[in-house]
Every structure is written in C-alpha cells, then in structure tokens.
Amino acid sequence: DLGRAGVKLAGQPAGPATMTGTDRLALSLSWIVALGCVVFLMLPIVITLAASFTSSPVYTLPPPEWSLRWYQSLERRSGLWEAVALSLNLAVVSTMISLILGTLAAIAVARGRFHGREAIATFTVSPLMMPGLVVGVALLQFFREIGLRDAYWSLLLGHIVITLPFVMRTLL
C-alpha cells in the first residue's frame, strides 16, 4: 500500500483513487459510445451471416426457412478453391516481401543521412494518398504498357506497391 509507505503526491499523502459523479458519468458514456460503435460496425456482418442461412433465392430477413443451401453450393463451384489458394499465396508472399523491403527501407530512411532521403520517404508514402482502385487501374495500365501480361506477377507487384507504404509508415 503506497499510502502507508509514506509516499506523498504534491505534498499530500497518497490515498485511494476515488471517482466523482462526473467521472463516473463520463466513463459510462464512453463505454456506451464504444459499445454503440462496435454494434454499428458488426451489424452488417451479423445481418449478412443471418441472411446466408435462408432457403430463399432472394435476400429475406427473417428467413422463411433455415437452410445450408448456399454453403452446400460452394462445393459445386468450379475454380473457387483455386482462387482461394491463389489469394492466400499472394497475401503471404506479398506480405513477406513488403515486410522485408519496408523494414529495410524504413531503417535506411530513419538512420541514413544521404541525398534524396526525404524524396524516398515521400515517394513510398504516395500510394497511401490515392484510393486503392485508382492505384490498381494505374498499375494495370502500366503493366500492359511495359508488356507484363502474366497475371500472377502483376498481382504480386500490385499488392507489394499497396502494402509497402503501410509497413514503412508503421516503422518510421
């Protein structure tokens, strides 16, 4: 117990922390607002999940009958699992490359003293200032112009261009 050990704060003995009525009201309102934000953000996911268990071919809530119809149809989708595997592969590879290059670039920009350091820092953050769709379309046009037609490599480079600035900004 700090109060019994003779610790003084601002010349006064330390005592138990007490909350005033205003403090309790502010804390309660903070929790209510935080809970409201969580509900607001999670509600679309909950509604979509509930609607996915309907037997109806159109969106209806509440569902007329609970069914696993839409989940069973996933088994019959051709190419779905190949697309999921490709997406996971791109995510893992682009994340690893971005982490390595972003960490090295952030160390160089933060610790290095060389001409053009600020230009490199600004250039690497520039994709953050544009919407992802704009960057994606621009990269698609650029890759076509330089003759890069392989979908995997263009997707991988596009993902790296978008994720690399996030790594750098986090580490700087």
Side-chain angles (χ1 to χ4, degrees), residues 134-149:
V134 173
V135 174
V137 171
L139 285 173
L140 176 66
Q141 293 299 323
F142 174 70
F143 292 149
R144 283 188 180 172
E145 287 295 320
I146 65 171
L148 181 59
R149 304 227 184 259

Side-chain angles (χ1 to χ4, degrees), residues 69-138:
R69 169 186 181 182
W70 302 112
Y71 294 99
Q72 291 168 343
S73 73
L74 288 177
E75 295 172 1
R76 294 184 296 272
R77 296 278 175 187
S78 64
L80 173 70
W81 298 113
E82 291 84 5
V84 169
L86 175 65
S87 294
L88 288 174
N89 180 284
L90 279 171
V92 169
V93 173
S94 67
T95 299
M96 291 299 128
I97 292 172
S98 291
L99 283 173
I100 292 168
L101 293 179
T103 302
L104 293 174
I107 291 170
V109 168
R111 295 185 183 174
R113 301 288 176 237
F114 55 90
H115 185 68
R117 182 172 68 101
E118 296 300 322
I120 291 173
T122 304
F123 178 72
T124 56
V125 178
S126 61
L128 296 176
M129 299 178 212
M130 291 183 285
L133 182 63
V134 173
V135 174
V137 171

Side-chain angles (χ1 to χ4, degrees), residues 1-8 12-16:
D1 183 25
L2 293 176
R4 290 187 200 153
V7 175
K8 293 185 176 186
Q12 301 294 325

Side-chain angles (χ1 to χ4, degrees), residues 141-163:
Q141 293 299 323
F142 174 70
F143 292 149
R144 283 188 180 172
E145 287 295 320
I146 65 171
L148 181 59
R149 304 227 184 259
D150 186 15
Y152 181 81
W153 292 106
S154 59
L155 284 170
L156 181 62
L157 288 172
H159 279 78
I160 292 169
V161 165
I162 290 175
T163 56

